mmCIF file of all heavy atoms in Angstrom:
data_model
loop_
_atom_site.group_PDB
_atom_site.id
_atom_site.type_symbol
_atom_site.label_atom_id
_atom_site.label_comp_id
_atom_site.label_asym_id
_atom_site.label_seq_id
_atom_site.Cartn_x
_atom_site.Cartn_y
_atom_site.Cartn_z
ATOM 1 N N ILE A 209 -11.347 1.420 -10.459
ATOM 2 C CA ILE A 209 -10.780 2.053 -9.268
ATOM 3 C C ILE A 209 -11.923 2.320 -8.292
ATOM 4 O O ILE A 209 -12.877 3.031 -8.614
ATOM 5 C CB ILE A 209 -10.036 3.353 -9.630
ATOM 6 C CG1 ILE A 209 -8.835 3.013 -10.527
ATOM 7 C CG2 ILE A 209 -9.608 4.100 -8.362
ATOM 8 C CD1 ILE A 209 -8.017 4.198 -10.981
ATOM 9 N N GLY A 210 -11.832 1.711 -7.114
ATOM 10 C CA GLY A 210 -12.872 1.882 -6.097
ATOM 11 C C GLY A 210 -12.360 2.786 -4.985
ATOM 12 O O GLY A 210 -11.148 2.894 -4.758
ATOM 13 N N PHE A 211 -13.287 3.409 -4.275
ATOM 14 C CA PHE A 211 -12.904 4.429 -3.301
ATOM 15 C C PHE A 211 -13.746 4.321 -2.031
ATOM 16 O O PHE A 211 -14.963 4.153 -2.090
ATOM 17 C CB PHE A 211 -13.087 5.815 -3.940
ATOM 18 C CG PHE A 211 -12.776 6.963 -3.037
ATOM 19 C CD1 PHE A 211 -11.638 6.969 -2.237
ATOM 20 C CD2 PHE A 211 -13.625 8.074 -2.985
ATOM 21 C CE1 PHE A 211 -11.347 8.041 -1.398
ATOM 22 C CE2 PHE A 211 -13.341 9.149 -2.159
ATOM 23 C CZ PHE A 211 -12.196 9.132 -1.358
ATOM 24 N N VAL A 212 -13.067 4.431 -0.876
ATOM 25 C CA VAL A 212 -13.747 4.432 0.433
ATOM 26 C C VAL A 212 -13.330 5.690 1.197
ATOM 27 O O VAL A 212 -12.216 5.754 1.726
ATOM 28 C CB VAL A 212 -13.368 3.181 1.261
ATOM 29 C CG1 VAL A 212 -14.156 3.170 2.573
ATOM 30 C CG2 VAL A 212 -13.601 1.899 0.485
ATOM 31 N N PRO A 213 -14.195 6.702 1.253
ATOM 32 C CA PRO A 213 -13.851 7.892 2.051
ATOM 33 C C PRO A 213 -14.135 7.657 3.531
ATOM 34 O O PRO A 213 -15.214 7.141 3.883
ATOM 35 C CB PRO A 213 -14.774 8.987 1.504
ATOM 36 C CG PRO A 213 -15.794 8.318 0.667
ATOM 37 C CD PRO A 213 -15.470 6.862 0.530
ATOM 38 N N THR A 214 -13.191 8.010 4.397
ATOM 39 C CA THR A 214 -13.395 7.864 5.849
ATOM 40 C C THR A 214 -12.753 9.046 6.581
ATOM 41 O O THR A 214 -11.975 9.800 6.001
ATOM 42 C CB THR A 214 -12.745 6.576 6.422
ATOM 43 O OG1 THR A 214 -11.354 6.829 6.672
ATOM 44 C CG2 THR A 214 -12.891 5.382 5.514
ATOM 45 N N CYS A 229 -14.753 -3.007 -1.477
ATOM 46 C CA CYS A 229 -14.021 -2.254 -2.506
ATOM 47 C C CYS A 229 -12.911 -3.113 -3.121
ATOM 48 O O CYS A 229 -12.749 -3.154 -4.341
ATOM 49 C CB CYS A 229 -13.459 -0.979 -1.872
ATOM 50 S SG CYS A 229 -12.638 0.104 -3.025
ATOM 51 N N ASN A 233 -12.963 -4.228 -7.162
ATOM 52 C CA ASN A 233 -12.152 -3.323 -7.991
ATOM 53 C C ASN A 233 -10.702 -3.807 -8.033
ATOM 54 O O ASN A 233 -10.248 -4.466 -7.103
ATOM 55 C CB ASN A 233 -12.167 -1.901 -7.409
ATOM 56 C CG ASN A 233 -13.569 -1.339 -7.341
ATOM 57 O OD1 ASN A 233 -14.074 -0.795 -8.312
ATOM 58 N ND2 ASN A 233 -14.215 -1.499 -6.189
ATOM 59 N N VAL A 235 -8.193 -1.669 -8.108
ATOM 60 C CA VAL A 235 -7.450 -0.723 -7.274
ATOM 61 C C VAL A 235 -8.399 -0.173 -6.214
ATOM 62 O O VAL A 235 -9.511 0.260 -6.534
ATOM 63 C CB VAL A 235 -6.884 0.445 -8.120
ATOM 64 C CG1 VAL A 235 -6.177 1.457 -7.242
ATOM 65 C CG2 VAL A 235 -5.945 -0.081 -9.195
ATOM 66 N N CYS A 236 -7.950 -0.213 -4.947
ATOM 67 C CA CYS A 236 -8.759 0.335 -3.849
ATOM 68 C C CYS A 236 -8.033 1.531 -3.243
ATOM 69 O O CYS A 236 -6.877 1.415 -2.821
ATOM 70 C CB CYS A 236 -8.990 -0.741 -2.790
ATOM 71 S SG CYS A 236 -9.655 -0.083 -1.239
ATOM 72 N N VAL A 237 -8.728 2.660 -3.214
ATOM 73 C CA VAL A 237 -8.198 3.870 -2.576
ATOM 74 C C VAL A 237 -9.049 4.163 -1.348
ATOM 75 O O VAL A 237 -10.280 4.162 -1.438
ATOM 76 C CB VAL A 237 -8.285 5.088 -3.534
ATOM 77 C CG1 VAL A 237 -7.688 6.332 -2.880
ATOM 78 C CG2 VAL A 237 -7.625 4.792 -4.866
ATOM 79 N N THR A 238 -8.410 4.366 -0.202
ATOM 80 C CA THR A 238 -9.137 4.790 1.004
ATOM 81 C C THR A 238 -8.591 6.143 1.429
ATOM 82 O O THR A 238 -7.370 6.341 1.421
ATOM 83 C CB THR A 238 -8.929 3.776 2.149
ATOM 84 O OG1 THR A 238 -9.368 2.488 1.712
ATOM 85 C CG2 THR A 238 -9.712 4.171 3.395
ATOM 86 N N SER A 239 -9.481 7.055 1.755
ATOM 87 C CA SER A 239 -9.002 8.347 2.261
ATOM 88 C C SER A 239 -9.270 8.440 3.756
ATOM 89 O O SER A 239 -10.255 7.883 4.262
ATOM 90 C CB SER A 239 -9.668 9.520 1.536
ATOM 91 O OG SER A 239 -11.048 9.530 1.792
ATOM 92 N N PHE A 276 -4.964 7.710 0.985
ATOM 93 C CA PHE A 276 -4.842 9.148 0.727
ATOM 94 C C PHE A 276 -5.118 9.860 2.040
ATOM 95 O O PHE A 276 -6.240 9.794 2.567
ATOM 96 C CB PHE A 276 -5.839 9.559 -0.361
ATOM 97 C CG PHE A 276 -5.794 11.024 -0.684
ATOM 98 C CD1 PHE A 276 -4.590 11.677 -0.919
ATOM 99 C CD2 PHE A 276 -6.973 11.769 -0.761
ATOM 100 C CE1 PHE A 276 -4.544 13.032 -1.220
ATOM 101 C CE2 PHE A 276 -6.940 13.128 -1.065
ATOM 102 C CZ PHE A 276 -5.724 13.753 -1.295
ATOM 103 N N VAL A 317 -16.662 15.380 -0.055
ATOM 104 C CA VAL A 317 -16.776 14.173 -0.885
ATOM 105 C C VAL A 317 -16.636 14.533 -2.364
ATOM 106 O O VAL A 317 -16.007 13.800 -3.128
ATOM 107 C CB VAL A 317 -18.078 13.395 -0.582
ATOM 108 C CG1 VAL A 317 -18.229 12.203 -1.522
ATOM 109 C CG2 VAL A 317 -18.079 12.900 0.866
ATOM 110 N N LEU A 320 -12.988 14.982 -2.989
ATOM 111 C CA LEU A 320 -12.311 13.671 -2.999
ATOM 112 C C LEU A 320 -12.633 12.912 -4.289
ATOM 113 O O LEU A 320 -11.754 12.275 -4.883
ATOM 114 C CB LEU A 320 -12.708 12.858 -1.767
ATOM 115 C CG LEU A 320 -12.162 13.384 -0.434
ATOM 116 C CD1 LEU A 320 -12.850 12.700 0.751
ATOM 117 C CD2 LEU A 320 -10.649 13.178 -0.332
ATOM 118 N N PHE A 321 -13.888 13.004 -4.738
ATOM 119 C CA PHE A 321 -14.252 12.327 -5.998
ATOM 120 C C PHE A 321 -13.453 12.931 -7.159
ATOM 121 O O PHE A 321 -12.999 12.211 -8.039
ATOM 122 C CB PHE A 321 -15.761 12.454 -6.272
ATOM 123 C CG PHE A 321 -16.627 11.488 -5.494
ATOM 124 C CD1 PHE A 321 -16.078 10.566 -4.612
ATOM 125 C CD2 PHE A 321 -18.008 11.486 -5.648
ATOM 126 C CE1 PHE A 321 -16.876 9.675 -3.891
ATOM 127 C CE2 PHE A 321 -18.826 10.602 -4.952
ATOM 128 C CZ PHE A 321 -18.258 9.698 -4.073
ATOM 129 N N VAL A 324 -9.860 11.517 -6.843
ATOM 130 C CA VAL A 324 -9.666 10.068 -7.056
ATOM 131 C C VAL A 324 -10.228 9.629 -8.409
ATOM 132 O O VAL A 324 -9.642 8.773 -9.081
ATOM 133 C CB VAL A 324 -10.336 9.251 -5.909
ATOM 134 C CG1 VAL A 324 -10.197 7.754 -6.141
ATOM 135 C CG2 VAL A 324 -9.756 9.648 -4.554
ATOM 136 N N PRO A 326 -13.071 7.818 -8.928
ATOM 137 C CA PRO A 326 -13.393 6.389 -8.830
ATOM 138 C C PRO A 326 -14.559 6.012 -9.738
ATOM 139 O O PRO A 326 -15.376 6.867 -10.087
ATOM 140 C CB PRO A 326 -13.821 6.244 -7.362
ATOM 141 C CG PRO A 326 -14.436 7.569 -7.036
ATOM 142 C CD PRO A 326 -13.660 8.601 -7.825
ATOM 143 N N CYS A 327 -14.668 4.719 -10.100
ATOM 144 C CA CYS A 327 -15.893 4.295 -10.786
ATOM 145 C C CYS A 327 -16.929 3.852 -9.760
ATOM 146 O O CYS A 327 -18.125 3.939 -10.007
ATOM 147 C CB CYS A 327 -15.635 3.232 -11.844
ATOM 148 S SG CYS A 327 -14.602 1.919 -11.323
ATOM 149 N N LYS A 328 -16.470 3.391 -8.577
ATOM 150 C CA LYS A 328 -17.412 3.032 -7.516
ATOM 151 C C LYS A 328 -16.935 3.632 -6.197
ATOM 152 O O LYS A 328 -15.720 3.661 -5.946
ATOM 153 C CB LYS A 328 -17.486 1.518 -7.323
ATOM 154 C CG LYS A 328 -18.143 0.755 -8.462
ATOM 155 C CD LYS A 328 -18.239 -0.705 -8.062
ATOM 156 C CE LYS A 328 -18.997 -1.498 -9.109
ATOM 157 N NZ LYS A 328 -19.246 -2.868 -8.644
ATOM 158 N N ALA A 329 -17.873 4.070 -5.359
ATOM 159 C CA ALA A 329 -17.505 4.577 -4.034
ATOM 160 C C ALA A 329 -18.431 3.931 -3.011
ATOM 161 O O ALA A 329 -19.638 3.772 -3.252
ATOM 162 C CB ALA A 329 -17.609 6.089 -3.976
ATOM 163 N N TYR A 330 -17.874 3.579 -1.863
ATOM 164 C CA TYR A 330 -18.542 2.731 -0.876
ATOM 165 C C TYR A 330 -18.882 3.531 0.379
ATOM 166 O O TYR A 330 -18.018 4.201 0.945
ATOM 167 C CB TYR A 330 -17.631 1.542 -0.529
ATOM 168 C CG TYR A 330 -17.401 0.680 -1.754
ATOM 169 C CD1 TYR A 330 -16.487 1.073 -2.733
ATOM 170 C CD2 TYR A 330 -18.144 -0.469 -1.961
ATOM 171 C CE1 TYR A 330 -16.314 0.317 -3.888
ATOM 172 C CE2 TYR A 330 -17.984 -1.224 -3.108
ATOM 173 C CZ TYR A 330 -17.063 -0.823 -4.073
ATOM 174 O OH TYR A 330 -16.916 -1.564 -5.212
ATOM 175 N N PHE A 331 -20.156 3.431 0.781
ATOM 176 C CA PHE A 331 -20.637 4.187 1.947
ATOM 177 C C PHE A 331 -21.459 3.260 2.837
ATOM 178 O O PHE A 331 -22.162 2.362 2.348
ATOM 179 C CB PHE A 331 -21.510 5.360 1.502
ATOM 180 C CG PHE A 331 -20.730 6.451 0.819
ATOM 181 C CD1 PHE A 331 -20.452 6.386 -0.538
ATOM 182 C CD2 PHE A 331 -20.249 7.535 1.544
ATOM 183 C CE1 PHE A 331 -19.711 7.385 -1.164
ATOM 184 C CE2 PHE A 331 -19.515 8.538 0.930
ATOM 185 C CZ PHE A 331 -19.241 8.461 -0.424
#
Side-chain angles (χ1 to χ4, degrees):
I209 296 179
F211 178 45
V212 183
T214 83
C229 184
N233 300 275
V235 177
C236 167
V237 182
T238 302
S239 64
F276 179 48
V317 176
L320 290 168
F321 280 0
V324 178
C327 47
K328 291 185 175 187
Y330 297 78
F331 290 85

